[in-house]
Amino acid sequence: MATEGKRSTLGLTVLGILAGEPMHAYRIQQLIRDYGKDRVVNVRQRASVYQAIDRLLRLGLIAVEGVGRDGARPERVVYAITEAGLATARTWIREMLSTVGGEFPEFPVALSFLIMLPPPEALAELEARLAAVEAELADVRAAVDQSADLPRIFLVEEEYRHAVLAAEQAWLITMIADLRDGKLTWSREWVQQIAAEFNERQDSERQEREGR
């Protein structure tokens, strides 16, 4: 019996593309690029799509429809989405739209340990990130401009990316300004002192709760 399995952004992308029509894996890869889905889904490894297809097959979310051939090219397996696949795709979409906090990107983790870098080094890295964010913002704007003839519903992921990147850009500009002006700074000794005081307070509160 098919099961939804753990939701997957790449799995949803494959299901979404196959919802249009049955096709072979190479065509799926082409459309991921043509539709710009590679801008929001990690498909850096060439085998990723094939691995996603294998998983969806095992779950019964897609099925082999037959073997197709494009001109003189070798025969290729053609996949089709199943009814279970359609239902699962819709479930995943609802969950992804409404759920907050299930993602753990690297940047917030690095920020949580920013004090391990000297302030000048932290400043340099954040300036580099700001440049990268601004380049990506320009890329998003260009993609939207080039697709201006498409209905808005086909560009909402780019709208979201633009909003998120613009918010990060504004935050980075403020953070960098505070580091440059010395409004935000730290030293190793100060960090160690604050950590020691915090740990001591936490240990004391823990002992009180345990009735020691």
Side-chain angles (χ1 to χ4, degrees), residues 3 25 40 57 59 79 89 105 111 129 142 149 158 165-166 182 187 191-192 195 203:
T3 177
V40 293
L57 274 172
L59 292 172
Y79 302 95
L111 285 176
R129 185 177 181 94
D149 56 330
E158 296 293 353
L165 288 167
S187 67
V191 168
Q192 289 175 336
D203 289 342

Side-chain angles (χ1 to χ4, degrees), residues 93-113:
I93 291 167
R94 287 192 292 267
E95 291 175 351
M96 290 178 183
L97 287 174
S98 61
T99 303
V100 177
E103 302 169 355
F104 296 94
E106 294 179 343
F107 185 52
V109 178
L111 285 176
S112 73
F113 292 101

Side-chain angles (χ1 to χ4, degrees), residues 24-174:
H24 52 71
Y26 183 70
R27 179 63 174 159
I28 294 171
Q29 285 186 315
Q30 286 181 320
L31 291 183
I32 286 175
R33 293 192 298 269
D34 292 347
Y35 293 164
K37 302 305 181 186
D38 56 337
R39 297 163 61 82
V40 293
V41 180
N42 184 4
V43 286
R44 292 176 190 146
Q45 295 184 353
R46 188 174 180 181
S48 297
V49 170
Y50 292 90
Q51 291 168 354
I53 288 172
D54 288 342
R55 178 172 180 265
L56 295 173
L57 274 172
R58 291 195 304 271
L59 292 172
L61 305 181
I62 63 175
V64 174
E65 182 172 272
V67 178
R69 183 193 297 271
D70 294 334
R73 295 176 183 240
E75 291 184 338
R76 293 190 174 111
V77 177
V78 175
Y79 302 95
I81 192 169
T82 63
E83 287 300 318
L86 281 170
T88 294
R90 290 170 182 145
T91 296
W92 286 354
I93 291 167
R94 287 192 292 267
E95 291 175 351
M96 290 178 183
L97 287 174
S98 61
T99 303
V100 177
E103 302 169 355
F104 296 94
E106 294 179 343
F107 185 52
V109 178
L111 285 176
S112 73
F113 292 101
L114 190 65
I115 52 177
M116 293 181 68
L117 298 179
E121 189 174 336
L123 172 61
E125 297 304 329
L126 291 177
E127 287 174 334
R129 185 177 181 94
L130 176 60
V133 166
E134 291 176 338
E136 195 166 348
L137 262 174
D139 187 49
V140 171
R141 293 190 189 105
V144 171
D145 291 343
Q146 291 168 6
S147 306
D149 56 330
L150 287 176
R152 182 187 175 196
I153 190 60
F154 293 103
L155 297 170
V156 289
E157 73 271 26
E158 296 293 353
E159 281 189 17
Y160 174 76
R161 286 185 66 215
H162 186 279
V164 171
L165 288 167
E168 182 174 340
Q169 177 192 37
W171 181 84
L172 283 168
I173 288 172
T174 300

